[in-house]
Amino acid sequence: MRPKATQRKKFNSYNAALLPYSIWALLFILVPLIFVAYYAFTDNQFNFTTENIARFFNSVSQIQDASGSATEIRTYLVIFMRSLKLAVISTLVCLLMGYPIAYIMARAQERTQKMMMTLIMIPMWMNFLIRTYAWMTILQDKGIFNSILQMLGLSPVHIIGTEAAVIIGMVYDYFPYMVLPIYSIMAKMDDKLLEAARDLGCGSFSVLRRVIFPLSLPGVMSGITMVLVPSISTFYISQKLGNGKFFLIGDAIEGQYVAGNFHFAAAMAFILMVILLVFMALIKYVTARYLYGGENRA
């Protein structure tokens, strides 16, 4: 068979393999996003408007401080910044905990790797709601955690209904999404690179800083994206573990949808989607610029 004909056949086979995913992505990703954008830029009569977008940035509410004086705040921007803060903290905690665990898994024996992988994946086999309710039982004032503290002779602590409880729920639910991408990169590292670094005089910390971390950076960036994106848009965790005291952007979108304000809910979802897409583009740029294009830097 001629080379061009062989290449054409491979190209057609490749396209045929991509067809089911392309159809799925079109129907369940692209089409819903188009509807979100359409609702975001229309009013109840489906006339074009930017009022929904402007409302997100301009809506204000008044709060009173300890002295009784009222202060105006931009409601939804404050909610978004609170969501971003908790999401960033959760992502950092997942990274600080997940990176060493991923490294230990990658360096362990194959049997140990499988066992650790199973332990990390087991919580994901349970329903998301069940996991959240389980943490409510653990963290409540008379829950399992405080019972253990009292058995040890320590004073109980109030966790449920605080930002700490929301962060714990986020970390628990999204932790595997940080570990698995980093582990998949580290498991493919060539041990000869580490041996060469040690032969050249690098200590354990230098090997980690100069060899392991740069090579694992794509997995780190993927893990950060996979944890930050769902964390910033979560709503059920904040409702149950935060006792509804911490109104996040996901709660705001849900509230507007339940109230029948579909266009404003779509506008908030659209703005959040744009912000997340910009963030993901920045991560991709940083990874490409400082990792794959590192040799071209001055």
Side-chain angles (χ1 to χ4, degrees):
M1 186 179 294
R2 291 178 297 177
K4 289 185 177 180
T6 302
Q7 292 179 359
R8 189 181 300 110
K9 184 177 180 180
K10 291 181 178 180
F11 181 75
N12 292 334
S13 300
Y14 179 76
N15 287 340
L18 285 178
L19 184 61
Y21 172 77
S22 299
I23 295 175
W24 185 91
L26 177 65
L27 294 178
F28 298 103
I29 297 179
L30 184 59
V31 172
L33 292 180
I34 292 175
F35 273 101
V36 169
Y38 176 71
Y39 269 78
F41 288 96
T42 55
D43 56 20
N44 292 331
Q45 286 73 41
F46 293 99
N47 299 316
F48 175 81
T49 181
T50 59
E51 181 181 351
N52 298 316
I53 303 297
R55 179 182 172 186
F56 177 87
F57 293 100
N58 297 328
S59 293
V60 296
S61 59
Q62 291 187 347
I63 59 173
Q64 289 186 344
D65 55 22
S67 62
S69 59
T71 303
E72 287 190 350
I73 62 171
R74 296 192 179 274
T75 310
Y76 295 105
L77 288 179
V78 171
I79 293 173
F80 172 75
M81 294 307 298
R82 183 189 299 129
S83 303
L84 180 62
K85 180 187 73 172
L86 296 183
V88 169
I89 294 174
S90 302
T91 304
L92 290 176
V93 173
C94 286
L95 178 59
L96 293 176
M97 293 174 53
Y99 195 90
I101 291 178
Y103 177 78
I104 293 172
M105 287 177 58
R107 300 295 103 190
Q109 298 293 329
E110 183 177 356
R111 183 177 179 180
T112 305
Q113 289 186 26
K114 293 180 179 179
M115 181 185 67
M116 295 181 69
M117 179 71 71
T118 301
L119 292 176
I120 292 175
M121 294 295 294
I122 281 178
M124 300 181 67
W125 298 350
M126 293 184 292
N127 184 273
F128 177 83
L129 303 181
I130 296 176
R131 300 200 303 267
T132 304
Y133 273 106
W135 274 106
M136 290 176 61
T137 304
I138 295 172
L139 298 178
Q140 62 186 353
D141 293 340
K142 296 183 179 180
I144 298 174
F145 181 74
N146 279 323
S147 298
I148 294 175
L149 290 180
Q150 290 179 338
M151 290 174 58
L152 297 175
L154 302 175
S155 300
V157 294
H158 177 70
I159 302 178
I160 197 74
T162 64
E163 290 187 351
V166 177
I167 292 172
I168 290 173
M170 290 181 180
V171 170
Y172 178 77
D173 283 312
Y174 304 126
F175 181 71
Y177 300 119
M178 179 66 73
V179 175
L180 298 181
I182 300 175
Y183 162 75
S184 65
I185 295 294
M186 287 186 172
K188 299 175 183 177
M189 288 184 184
D190 192 345
D191 291 337
K192 295 180 181 178
L193 293 175
L194 308 183
E195 295 174 1
R198 294 189 179 94
D199 291 340
L200 293 173
C202 288
S204 298
F205 181 74
S206 295
V207 171
L208 175 63
R209 182 172 63 89
R210 296 176 179 270
V211 180
I212 297 176
F213 183 75
L215 292 177
S216 64
L217 193 56
V220 171
M221 292 300 183
S222 296
I224 290 175
T225 303
M226 294 176 67
V227 173
L228 184 63
V229 170
S231 294
I232 200 174
S233 58
T234 189
F235 64 94
Y236 192 79
I237 296 175
S238 58
Q239 291 178 6
K240 297 304 179 182
L241 298 183
N243 282 346
K245 298 178 181 178
F246 303 99
F247 205 61
L248 304 184
I249 192 66
D251 301 311
I253 295 174
E254 183 205 23
Q256 293 296 328
Y257 180 83
V258 172
N261 301 324
F262 303 126
H263 297 273
F264 185 49
M268 288 193 289
F270 179 80
I271 293 171
L272 181 61
M273 178 181 65
V274 171
I275 293 174
L276 292 177
L277 288 176
V278 171
F279 175 78
M280 293 172 64
L282 288 175
I283 288 183
K284 183 178 180 180
Y285 171 79
V286 170
T287 303
R289 178 69 178 86
Y290 292 95
L291 183 63
Y292 301 115
E295 66 275 7
N296 296 325
R297 287 180 291 172

